[in-house]
Amino acid sequence: MTNYIPTIGVEVHVELKTKTKIFSNSTNGYGEMANSLTNVIDLGYPGTLPTLNEEVINLAIRAATILNCKIRRTMHFDRKNYFYPDNPKNYQITQARTPIGYDGYVEIEVDGKKKKIEIEEMHIEEDTCKSAHRGTKTLLDFNRAGVPLIEIVTKPCMSNGEEAKLYLEKLKELLFYANISDCKMEEGSMRADANVSIRKNIEEPFGTKAEIKNIGSISNVKLSIEKEIERQSKLYDNGETFKPQTRRFDDKLQDTVLMRVKETGNDYRYFPEPDIPFVIITDEMIESANKETPMMPEERREKYLAREVSEINANKLIQNRPLSDYFNNLLDEKIDFKIASNLLLGDISAYLNKNEKEITNTTLTKERFIELVNDYSNNTITSKNLKDIIDDVLESNKTIKEIIKEKGIENITDDTEIRNIIKEVISSNEESVTDYKNGHDRAIKFLMGQVMKMTKGKANPKMAMDILIEELQ
């Protein structure tokens, strides 16, 4: 616990999910052979001219909308002038003065209370190429040069690492579900920088800022902020000061380390990009861009909860986009959605994880899944049966009825028959009945085991347990 008041802002770079790059027709891809997805525009050859990718504007409009930003109707691009090996033109095309989105927010929940994380601005720019350091040499891969980005800059409105973590999780969820980016931090398509300062009193101006660059995971963003607050607190406690600086998070040390001290402010000599005309954003463009936005997480959560899906299952479904999309196709059906969500997140997910598949790559059509849910609801099959038939359910085209018949599954669904068996078990195990009534929980498990033994596992476990408890009263 620190005696200082931390102030935190976060900058996030997100690569847009377009087919081609922002200013050229090179493929926007990942994991291909180095320098295979590039052309003379990406390499910065003299005399080449950029052509703006319309889909970049569409995705940026959609991002601005879901982040509750105001959309700038007249905007232009700027040249940010600096020299660095990963920047072949010696300038980057960005938006310094007219960002496409501004004054937005993302709402998070902290300790049961809603908090708005305010967004200063969101602008479009091109990515640089990727540097790979090999001993004393640096290799450059231009496949990433010219990949379209949006940079989302918050106001300094967060007070701890947990809030930053929650913000990034919500931001990732929103951008992923809106089909704006795949948000894979491990591949660099979402990268976060954190700006951290502390001060003694709220009336004081902000303290000296340290910027932590290119943090590789959301959990490390939280940890790096906590470590930086701790570092700055110790310095101030000892009467020391420090200059504005750039740091990075070291995975091995689990701490931030100094990269460089900012002796002077950067002078990028911004000026409007002369080769790209001003862009006028119309109402029709905004409507068209947002027309393609799929159902977002909050709406999904509301629909799931309204159908008596548990909050835990609703959140788990939303964390798994393919399963959530599959579940959405069932929302207008008359089925037990609680059972449907349990089946998807239970044995079906276990099969998908084991076989490294997505549900769309199985034979489980909407109609067959409805049949499966109904058979489970009316006790035609049990959880044990499902484990026995799950491979056939997801790999064959047979109906669930045909699979049950082939496997010779015959379950006892007559509650009178189950009740008679339970009465027989109770009369034959008086000692266990007494133990149960004396508060020994293990006794009911033993009695339930005897019921399943006498029925050869054919009794529905939930039905049998309900009747057993009723008979023991």
Side-chain angles (χ1 to χ4, degrees), residues 2-242:
T2 178
N3 294 320
Y4 297 89
I5 301 170
T7 304
I8 298 145
V10 175
E11 301 170 12
V12 181
H13 287 86
V14 179
E15 291 183 353
L16 302 181
K17 199 160 67 172
T18 56
K19 291 180 180 178
T20 56
K21 295 184 180 181
I22 184 168
F23 299 124
S24 81
N25 62 0
S26 294
T27 300
N28 177 8
Y30 177 83
E32 301 296 324
M33 184 177 72
N35 296 307
S36 62
L37 306 178
T38 189
N39 63 21
V40 291
I41 296 173
D42 309 323
L43 292 167
Y45 274 44
T48 58
L49 293 173
T51 302
L52 180 59
N53 184 341
E54 184 180 4
E55 184 60 12
V56 172
I57 302 298
N58 290 335
L59 292 181
I61 290 171
R62 192 185 305 170
T65 303
I66 66 168
L67 299 179
N68 304 296
C69 289
K70 297 173 183 175
I71 296 174
R72 197 175 302 277
R73 297 307 186 98
T74 302
M75 63 177 195
H76 67 268
F77 287 86
D78 298 287
R79 286 191 183 183
K80 178 181 180 180
N81 297 276
Y82 68 95
F83 172 78
Y84 203 72
D86 64 5
N87 181 27
K89 297 191 295 288
N90 290 337
Y91 62 84
Q92 179 189 31
I93 300 177
T94 182
Q95 291 183 310
R97 296 180 176 87
T98 58
I100 187 169
Y102 60 99
D103 289 348
Y105 68 88
V106 167
E107 196 169 67
I108 62 171
E109 189 170 305
V110 186
D111 299 327
K113 295 180 181 178
K114 301 283 187 184
K115 177 173 180 175
K116 286 183 178 179
I117 304 300
E118 297 174 272
I119 293 172
E120 180 81 36
E121 54 100 343
M122 184 203 86
H123 61 266
I124 305 167
E125 63 186 21
E126 61 180 336
D127 210 343
T128 58
C129 82
K130 188 173 183 179
S131 303
H133 304 291
R134 300 286 185 270
T136 58
K137 296 180 180 179
T138 298
L139 307 178
L140 300 176
D141 179 5
F142 284 85
N143 285 352
R144 198 178 72 180
V147 167
L149 295 173
I150 50 173
E151 183 175 357
I152 303 158
V153 182
T154 73
K155 293 181 179 179
C157 59
M158 286 169 265
S159 21
N160 55 57
E162 179 64 19
E163 288 184 5
K165 173 178 168 285
L166 292 170
Y167 163 69
L168 288 171
E169 287 173 345
K170 188 64 177 288
L171 184 67
K172 181 178 179 180
E173 183 181 83
L174 290 169
L175 296 173
F176 177 69
Y177 263 95
N179 292 328
I180 291 165
S181 173
D182 58 24
C183 296
K184 293 179 180 177
M185 292 191 82
E186 69 277 9
E187 293 182 4
S189 58
M190 180 175 173
R191 310 192 289 272
D193 304 337
N195 295 304
V196 182
S197 68
I198 61 174
R199 50 185 165 163
K200 200 71 176 175
N201 301 300
I202 198 72
E203 296 82 13
E204 295 178 3
F206 291 139
T208 305
K209 181 177 72 176
E211 182 181 21
I212 311 164
K213 297 285 286 184
N214 293 330
I215 310 167
S217 71
I218 291 176
S219 59
N220 280 350
V221 170
K222 177 185 176 183
L223 182 57
S224 64
I225 289 170
E226 290 170 348
K227 290 289 187 180
E228 185 56 24
I229 291 170
E230 183 183 331
R231 186 188 74 85
Q232 292 184 21
S233 298
K234 286 179 180 176
L235 287 173
Y236 288 148
D237 284 344
N238 293 332
E240 300 176 46
T241 59
F242 64 94

